[in-house]
Amino acid sequence: MKRYIISLIYLIALHLSGLFVFSLFRLFLFLENFGSLQPESAKQILLPARAFLHGVWFDNVTACYIMVAPLAIASVCAIFHYYGARLYRGLTRFILIFYLIAFGLSAANIPYFRYFFKNINSSVFNWIEYGSTTFGMMVQEISYWIAIGVFIVVSALYIRYVWKGFDFYQQKMDAAPRSEKPILIQSSAVLALSVIMIGSCLFGIRGRRGYNPIKVSAAYYCDDPFLNQLGLNAAYNLLVTTLDDSRSENRPLQLIEEKRALSNVAGYLNIKRNAEDSFIRPVITSEKPNRKNVVMILMESMSADLIGAYKGEKSLTPFLDSLYHQSVSFKHIYSAGIHTNHGLYSTLYSFPTILKRNAMKGSDIPNYTGLPTILNENGYHNLFFMTHEAQYDNMNAFLRTNGYQEIYSEENYPEEEIVNSFGVPDDYLFEYALPVINAQAEKHQPFFATLLTISNHPPYIVPEWFNGKSKEKEDLIVEYADECIRRFMNEARKQPWFKNTLFVFVGDHGKMIGTPETEMPDSYNHVPLMFYSADTAPKEINGLGGQIDIAPTILGMLNISYKKHNLGIDLFKTERECIFYTADNMIGCRDKEHLFIYAPADQMEFNYHIDSAGYVLADKRVENNRFEYLKEYSFSMLQTTEYLVRKKLTTL
C-alpha cells in the first residue's frame, strides 16, 4: 500500500507541475496582450487574478485528460502488486509526450491570440494542408520565433524536472518496506483508493458538478473580453472546438426553424414566395446597361480603424484618406467573417459566412451565381490576381468554376520576387497586374479585375525601398500597403481605360486595433468600402451595410439586369436597418444603437448599447424587444443561407 501511495504522489506531482507550466504560458499570454485590457481592468489586481484561477480550472481539465490513462494503468498494476521501473518509465514518457503537445499549443496560442483575439481553435486545421505556407509564416514572423523559443526553453526545463523526479521516485519506491498484511487486504485497500483517485480524475475531466460538464462559458465572468478568454486552456479549446465541428459545422446549421427563417427573410428583403419551401428571386431590371470596367481591390486585414478618414488615429493611410473624400464612401460596412476566404466569398457572391466554415473548400466544387458570373454573362472578361499559390483555400478551383477566366498567382511570378510564404509583396502584385489589365483592355471588351493583397498579414515584409514614418512594423506595413495602392492608381490614371472604370476598395476583413470593446472586436469586422470613378461625385454614406451588399450595389451602378437569389441589397436603393456578421464561433448583429452577440456552441448572449461613449452592456430583461429582433434577424439570415447552400440553390 505504501508503494502505491508513493506512486500516487509521483503522478500527482507530475499533474501539479503541468498546471504550473500551463499557468506560466498563461502569464506570457497575459503580458503579451496586456494592452487589450479594458482601462478599468488594467487598474485592478483581483479581476485579472480571477482569470488565472479560471485558468487553473480549465488547465486541470486538460491535465486530467492526460493523467486518467496512466493513473488507471498504475492502479490496476498496483492491485496485482506490480511497481516495476519499466512500467513507470513508460507512463512517464506517455505523460511527457501529451504535456509537450499541450505546451506546444499553449505556446502557439500566444501569437495566435494576439492576431485573432481568439484562443487557438479548430480553424487552425484549415492551415494544415498548406504546410509549406504555414511553416514559412511561422519561420518568417518574429512573434512565432518568440513563442517557439519560449516553448523550447520551458519544455527542456520541464523534461529535466520530470526525469529528476522519476529518479527520486525510484529511490523512494526501492526503499519502501514490503507490507506484511495479507495480500487480499492490501489489494482491497489499493482498489478502494484507486476508485477514489480515478473517480476524482474523471470528475476533473467533467470539470464541475451539475447536469452539464464544464463548457467555455464557464470562463466568462466580467465585462472584459480579454480576461474572459484568458482563462481558457489552448489544448482544451482546440479539443472542444474540434468536437463541436464534428457535431455541428459539417452538419446543417440549426439556429431557428427553417420555414420561419425563410418567411422572415422574404419579409426583410421584400421577396415573394409561391411555396412553403421555395425562395423566389425577382428579376432586377434596368433600362440601359453601363458597361464600365470594374477593378476591385480586396485589401488584406484593412480595418476601417486603420484609415484616418474613418477613425484611425495614426495617419497611416494618406492615400486612402484622400481617396475616401474623392469616392462614394460607406462609413459603416462590416465584413462577413474574419478570414480572407470569408471576405472573398461574401463580397463576390453575396452569401453570408456561416461561422468559421470555409465555403470554398472541398473537392466537390459548388456553383454560385454572383458578381463574376453575372458580369461574365454580360460580356465581361474576369481576371483574378493573388500573391500566393493558386491552391490556397481552394481559390483556383472555386474561382474558375464560378466566373473567372484567368487566375494569376505565385506560380506565374518569378521566383526571385517571392518574399515569404504568402508569395509576392503588394507592390509586385500591382506591378504585374497592370500590363495584364492593359492587354485585356486593348481587346475592347469590358473586364472585371480582382486584386487580393497580402502584405498587411504576418509575416510582415517591408521592402528596403519604402521609407515610412512608423517605427512599429505593424504600422509600417499599413503605410506600405497604402503606398502600393497609391502607385497603382497613379499608373492606372495614365491608361486609356481609366476613365471608363469603376474602382472598388474594400477590406477582406479587419484586424485587432487598440482595446477590444466586446467579445467581437469592432475593428475585426468594420471594413472600408469606397467606390471611385472619374465621373462619380464624391459622397459619404452613413447607412449600415455588409460585404454581401457589395455585388448588388455594383450591379446597380452598372445598370445590369440579373436574377436576385442572394441575401444582399443595393445600398443605393435600400437602407439596411441592421447588419449581421460572424467571427469564427460568434454571430453579431447590430443597428446604429444596439449590438447583439451570440455564441451558438455555448448558447451565450451578449447585448450592448452603442453611443458616443462606446459599448455598454445592456439589461436584456428591460430592453428585450430590440435585442430579440436582432437575434431573430441574424438567425433567420444565417438559417436561410444554410438552406440555400444545402439545397444547392446558390446558382440559377
Side-chain angles (χ1 to χ4, degrees):
M1 183 67 177
K2 187 172 183 179
R3 287 190 294 171
Y4 180 57
I5 292 175
I6 293 172
S7 69
L8 290 180
I9 292 173
Y10 172 66
L11 294 177
I12 291 171
L14 292 182
H15 182 87
L16 294 176
S17 66
L19 296 182
F20 173 79
V21 176
F22 281 138
S23 295
L24 194 61
F25 278 113
R26 181 167 290 102
L27 178 61
F28 293 148
L29 180 65
F30 176 75
L31 295 175
E32 177 71 8
N33 293 274
F34 186 81
S36 295
L37 282 171
Q38 299 282 2
E40 289 301 315
S41 302
K43 298 176 183 178
Q44 302 183 48
I45 297 177
L46 294 180
L47 199 63
R50 188 172 173 185
F52 280 84
L53 290 175
H54 282 174
V56 173
W57 187 11
F58 281 90
D59 292 343
N60 186 63
V61 174
T62 303
C64 285
Y65 270 112
I66 295 172
M67 190 58 65
V68 66
L71 178 61
I73 292 171
S75 298
V76 170
C77 291
I79 292 173
F80 296 98
H81 311 287
Y82 179 70
Y83 301 94
R86 292 177 61 185
L87 167 67
Y88 283 89
R89 187 176 289 108
L91 295 180
T92 300
R93 287 172 178 161
F94 176 92
I95 293 168
L96 262 178
I97 289 171
F98 280 92
Y99 265 128
L100 291 178
I101 292 172
F103 295 162
L105 291 171
S106 295
N109 194 48
I110 297 171
Y112 186 94
F113 191 97
R114 186 176 184 277
Y115 191 75
F116 287 106
F117 194 64
K118 289 185 179 298
N119 285 291
I120 200 164
N121 57 62
S122 60
S123 66
V124 299
F125 294 123
N126 293 333
W127 295 68
I128 290 179
E129 68 185 272
Y130 313 116
S132 59
T133 302
T134 303
F135 180 78
M137 179 182 68
M138 294 172 64
V139 170
Q140 296 164 11
E141 173 57 31
I142 189 65
S143 61
Y144 291 99
W145 293 2
I146 296 171
I148 292 170
V150 169
F151 169 70
I152 291 173
V153 172
V154 171
S155 297
L157 292 173
Y158 184 73
I159 291 170
R160 179 177 174 81
Y161 164 82
V162 167
W163 288 118
K164 285 282 186 182
F166 176 79
D167 291 337
F168 179 78
Y169 151 78
Q170 278 297 120
Q171 293 174 13
K172 289 289 185 181
M173 183 68 74
D174 293 339
R178 307 281 176 171
S179 175
E180 297 180 358
K181 293 182 179 180
I183 297 296
L184 183 60
I185 294 177
Q186 293 183 52
S187 297
S188 298
V190 169
L191 177 61
L193 186 56
S194 297
V195 170
I196 294 173
M197 294 303 299
I198 295 173
S200 298
C201 196
L202 292 173
F203 179 76
I205 291 174
R206 197 173 193 278
R208 62 184 293 273
R209 295 178 297 173
Y211 183 76
N212 291 310
I214 191 171
K215 293 185 177 181
V216 170
S217 59
Y220 288 71
Y221 69 98
C222 66
D223 296 339
D224 193 305
F226 171 54
L227 292 180
N228 284 339
Q229 297 184 79
L230 181 62
L232 291 172
N233 178 280
Y236 169 84
N237 202 59
L238 180 62
L239 174 64
V240 296
T241 54
T242 301
L243 292 174
D244 285 344
D245 286 353
S246 67
R247 292 190 293 267
S248 61
E249 187 187 4
N250 294 324
R251 288 191 245 162
L253 182 71
Q254 187 57 57
L255 294 170
I256 187 176
E257 195 269 329
E258 194 172 81
K259 290 184 178 180
R260 176 173 143 201
L262 292 171
S263 177
N264 285 343
V265 171
Y268 300 148
L269 301 180
N270 193 27
I271 296 172
K272 296 180 179 179
R273 297 169 59 233
N274 61 3
E276 287 298 315
D277 61 349
S278 65
F279 197 78
I280 303 303
R281 286 84 72 177
V283 177
I284 307 300
T285 58
S286 299
E287 294 180 1
K288 185 179 180 181
N290 175 1
R291 291 170 62 83
K292 275 189 175 183
N293 307 307
V294 180
V295 174
M296 177 183 288
I297 300 179
L298 275 158
M299 302 176 288
E300 170 64 43
S301 299
M302 190 59 77
S303 171
D305 290 17
L306 291 170
I307 300 176
Y310 283 85
K311 58 179 181 178
E313 300 176 353
K314 296 183 179 181
S315 301
L316 302 176
T317 58
F319 180 73
L320 289 174
D321 289 347
S322 66
L323 191 67
Y324 180 92
H325 298 292
Q326 301 173 51
S327 307
V328 178
S329 300
F330 289 82
K331 199 78 174 176
H332 303 290
I333 299 297
Y334 289 84
S335 64
I338 62 172
H339 299 285
T340 297
N341 67 80
H342 298 156
L344 191 61
Y345 168 76
S346 295
T347 299
L348 295 175
Y349 302 99
S350 295
F351 280 88
T353 296
I354 300 178
L355 299 169
K356 60 178 174 282
R357 185 185 300 176
N358 185 340
M360 298 194 300
K361 292 179 71 172
S363 55
D364 182 15
I365 310 300
N367 291 291
Y368 280 82
T369 295
L371 182 61
T373 58
I374 293 171
L375 291 179
N376 186 241
E377 291 168 358
N378 282 270
Y380 281 68
H381 188 80
N382 301 331
L383 312 93
F384 193 99
F385 300 87
M386 67 184 81
T387 65
H388 45 67
E389 62 178 7
Q391 298 305 312
Y392 193 81
D393 272 341
N394 206 33
M395 288 185 187
N396 185 58
F398 186 88
L399 295 173
R400 287 188 184 277
T401 301
N402 292 291
Y404 282 93
Q405 286 80 37
E406 298 180 40
I407 308 291
Y408 296 93
S409 62
E410 184 178 314
E411 291 85 346
N412 299 97
Y413 312 137
E415 188 173 340
E416 62 269 19
E417 298 294 342
I418 298 171
V419 297
N420 62 20
S421 56
F422 283 115
V424 299
D426 287 359
D427 64 301
Y428 185 79
L429 174 73
F430 289 121
E431 179 185 332
Y432 182 94
L434 189 60
V436 177
I437 294 173
N438 286 341
Q440 178 58 42
E442 290 176 358
K443 298 177 182 178
H444 304 290
Q445 177 186 10
F447 61 82
F448 172 41
T450 307
L451 296 91
L452 176 64
T453 70
I454 195 61
S455 290
N456 192 25
H457 188 295
Y460 302 127
I461 304 295
V462 181
E464 294 181 1
W465 61 262
F466 179 70
N467 296 312
K469 62 184 179 62
S470 299
K471 295 182 179 179
E472 296 292 332
K473 202 169 187 180
E474 197 163 351
D475 292 337
L476 190 62
I477 200 69
V478 177
E479 291 187 62
Y480 163 70
D482 180 74
E483 173 63 14
C484 292
I485 296 173
R486 184 190 71 81
R487 289 186 171 204
F488 173 74
M489 289 298 289
N490 285 348
E491 289 300 314
R493 289 180 194 278
K494 303 173 185 178
Q495 312 308 320
W497 49 266
F498 180 82
K499 291 184 178 180
N500 189 43
T501 300
L502 171 65
F503 291 87
V504 184
F505 300 86
V506 62
D508 66 340
H509 55 77
K511 65 191 299 185
M512 189 66 231
I513 309 295
T515 301
E517 314 88 344
T518 71
E519 291 69 22
M520 294 179 73
D522 192 52
S523 64
Y524 232 118
N525 289 91
H526 185 203
V527 294
L529 174 61
M530 294 175 269
F531 295 108
Y532 173 85
S533 65
D535 59 354
T536 299
K539 184 180 182 182
E540 181 182 78
I541 297 178
N542 284 307
L544 290 166
Q547 286 176 328
I548 58 173
D549 302 321
I550 293 175
T553 303
I554 291 173
L555 292 170
M557 296 176 77
L558 299 176
N559 291 328
I560 289 179
S561 300
Y562 67 102
K563 289 186 177 180
K564 176 181 171 59
H565 71 295
N566 53 56
L567 304 186
I569 63 170
D570 184 338
L571 293 172
F572 290 117
K573 296 178 179 177
T574 308
E575 184 174 344
R576 277 195 178 275
E577 59 175 329
C578 56
I579 185 63
F580 65 102
Y581 46 90
T582 67
D584 276 357
N585 60 340
M586 286 188 170
I587 298 167
C589 189
R590 68 168 62 220
D591 58 22
K592 293 184 177 180
E593 297 179 351
H594 306 85
L595 171 62
F596 165 76
I597 296 175
Y598 183 74
D602 305 293
Q603 298 184 357
M604 296 169 60
E605 295 184 17
F606 305 90
N607 302 285
Y608 289 90
H609 278 302
I610 309 170
D611 55 31
S612 58
Y615 293 77
V616 181
L617 277 172
D619 189 339
K620 186 178 176 183
R621 293 170 299 176
V622 176
E623 302 178 72
N624 185 60
N625 290 344
R626 191 55 189 171
F627 292 115
E628 280 298 325
Y629 179 82
L630 294 177
K631 179 178 181 178
E632 185 81 1
Y633 186 94
S634 57
F635 282 16
S636 297
M637 288 290 188
L638 288 170
Q639 196 65 55
T640 297
T641 302
E642 177 67 47
Y643 168 82
L644 295 173
V645 171
R646 182 165 47 86
K647 295 285 188 179
K648 298 186 177 181
L649 298 175
T650 55
T651 189
L652 300 174

